[in-house]
Amino acid sequence: MKENQISTGRFIDGKEIFAVELTNSLGSKVKIYNYGAIVSEFIVTNAKGEKQDIILGFDDIDGYLNEDYLADYPYLGVIVGRYSNRIKDGKYSIDGVGYQMDKSLHGGITGFDKKVWNILPTVDPSLTLQYISPDGEESFPGNLTVQLTFKLSDANELILDYSAVTDAATAINLTHHTYFNLNKDGGNVAGHQLRIPAGNYLEQDADYVVTGRLTPVAGTSHDFLAGKAIGHDWDPGEGYDQSFVLDKPYGELGLASETTEPTSGLKLDVYTTEPVAHFYTAKYLNTAIGKGGKGYGPFEAFCIETQHYPNSVNVPDFPTTILRPGDTYKQTTIFKVSHSVK
């Protein structure tokens, strides 16, 4: 694996934005910005021998800073924090102290996705980003130091290792919001084949907020245990925006999803130490100009957002998402690309 750091010439609050490219012996390349820890490219060789970018995004950093894009913001390729997904009414308490944050999705109005992260020195070819979130930012308590390391292995694994420490008890639930499409020409992802090893999904209310109830997937459109086309059972006007509880030991690295696309012959396996995979088929995606001037519309991508149970801060029966001083938050997620067996 090799790395290459390139200045974009753009600054936010006096901090320079860089693009860092990671490459491997297979000729694959990943481009990551230290703004929002954005994964902007993941170029691989498909089963036909063609180079193919499997991630939605923009040709350069200006696209991610464009006002029109930010006005209808889909979180393309960014880290999400301090708290991913939704917290009921933006309210929660820690040790009897109540907190009220903005009701915005994914950590508030200006979350980790809109910060310029520091690039730390590394010994091996990799990228480690660090952001120190101050006490009170987006109403979260404690000074939280977060590090995220990216590696691209020679087995075509994009490895994300997260860690965080705090000086006061705080809520944390990080994920990465990468939009994938394994078809070289893009388009609707209904024909992608997907398997999710999850016997239960999390019930949501009308605002997509997790209620605390687990629901068996058996006999529902959410049953991906045996694998099927994404569009096989979906409502084509709604798609999927659902959290699945993975059938694996808590905290252990295991399979979260397996996706194949017949035209390209590509396969994407996602592994994680997290207990939940949130599956989203981009219902609200509406980006006029993406890579190569091409726009992105609803259902033209899918996301596998590995995380803890959403809204855990308000559901005592769920595994805790409270990080305390002296403890370390850790998470690993791996996106592995290969060719599907024909």
Side-chain angles (χ1 to χ4, degrees):
M1 185 177 75
K2 297 181 180 179
E3 61 178 303
N4 182 34
Q5 183 172 315
I6 306 162
S7 174
T8 67
R10 297 296 300 268
F11 292 78
I12 294 179
D13 296 329
K15 295 182 177 180
E16 189 171 6
I17 300 176
F18 291 92
V20 177
E21 296 177 340
L22 303 176
T23 57
N24 66 13
S25 62
L26 299 176
S28 299
K29 183 179 77 170
V30 174
K31 183 167 76 173
I32 304 155
Y33 291 107
N34 66 322
Y35 171 75
I38 293 170
V39 177
S40 179
E41 292 180 358
F42 193 172
I43 298 173
V44 299
T45 303
N46 65 26
K48 299 177 181 178
E50 303 166 322
K51 291 293 185 182
Q52 178 179 336
D53 190 350
I54 61 173
I55 286 179
L56 274 61
F58 298 99
D59 293 323
D60 54 44
I61 191 62
D62 292 341
Y64 297 97
L65 304 176
N66 180 275
E67 289 185 4
D68 290 338
Y69 164 71
L70 294 173
D72 194 15
Y73 185 49
Y75 298 87
L76 280 178
V78 299
I79 189 174
V80 174
R82 281 187 198 189
Y83 210 93
S84 62
N85 218 300
R86 298 163 176 85
I87 294 176
K88 180 69 174 178
D89 297 325
K91 297 179 180 179
Y92 64 96
S93 63
I94 301 175
D95 300 332
V97 179
Y99 297 93
Q100 174 69 67
M101 58 174 290
D102 185 86
K103 295 181 183 180
S104 299
L105 178 67
H106 290 326
I109 297 173
T110 309
F112 292 177
D113 53 293
K114 295 188 178 74
K115 305 297 183 181
V116 179
W117 292 52
N118 294 323
I119 299 176
L120 301 185
T122 56
V123 175
D124 57 349
S126 61
L127 169 64
T128 296
L129 301 177
Q130 178 176 279
Y131 176 65
I132 301 175
S133 176
D135 177 43
E137 184 174 64
E138 295 295 331
S139 301
F140 287 101
N143 296 293
L144 182 74
T145 300
V146 183
Q147 291 186 2
L148 174 55
T149 296
F150 295 89
K151 296 180 181 179
L152 179 62
S153 78
D154 287 330
N156 258 2
E157 298 166 321
L158 177 59
I159 304 166
L160 281 63
D161 285 317
Y162 305 72
S163 67
V165 293
T166 183
D167 62 3
T170 192
I172 181 172
N173 192 12
L174 305 178
T175 192
H176 208 274
H177 211 291
T178 315
Y179 284 74
F180 292 99
N181 190 313
L182 304 183
N183 188 310
K184 191 171 188 295
D185 298 321
N188 194 293
V189 296
H192 285 53
Q193 299 287 319
L194 173 69
R195 183 169 74 89
I196 302 177
N200 294 280
Y201 67 95
L202 298 177
E203 180 186 73
Q204 298 172 163
D205 65 18
D207 295 319
Y208 299 98
V209 178
V210 166
T211 65
R213 179 185 173 194
L214 272 67
T215 304
V217 301
T220 76
S221 62
H222 296 85
D223 189 349
F224 286 93
L225 283 168
K228 62 183 178 182
I230 289 176
H232 187 272
D233 294 318
W234 74 356
D235 177 338
E238 291 294 326
Y240 291 96
D241 194 350
Q242 197 73 50
S243 293
F244 291 80
V245 180
L246 300 172
D247 295 337
K248 67 180 186 67
Y250 181 82
E252 291 189 11
L253 184 68
L255 184 69
S257 67
E258 178 183 277
T259 311
T260 59
E261 200 286 312
T263 305
S264 67
L266 286 174
K267 180 183 180 186
L268 175 69
D269 292 332
V270 181
Y271 299 89
T272 188
T273 55
E274 293 294 270
V276 166
H278 189 88
F279 175 47
Y280 175 53
T281 52
K283 174 184 176 181
Y284 299 105
L285 185 60
N286 183 25
T287 300
I289 302 175
K291 292 176 184 175
K294 180 181 178 181
Y296 303 129
F299 313 113
E300 292 189 359
F302 68 94
C303 304
I304 304 292
E305 304 163 48
T306 55
Q307 58 193 268
H308 260 57
Y309 294 55
N311 198 34
S312 287
V313 283
N314 292 311
V315 184
D317 291 339
F318 282 175
T320 184
T321 49
I322 303 302
L323 179 66
R324 298 184 179 277
D327 295 334
T328 301
Y329 169 94
K330 287 184 177 292
Q331 182 218 132
T332 296
T333 292
I334 300 172
F335 300 102
K336 178 180 173 60
V337 180
S338 60
H339 296 161
S340 58
V341 178
K342 295 186 178 179

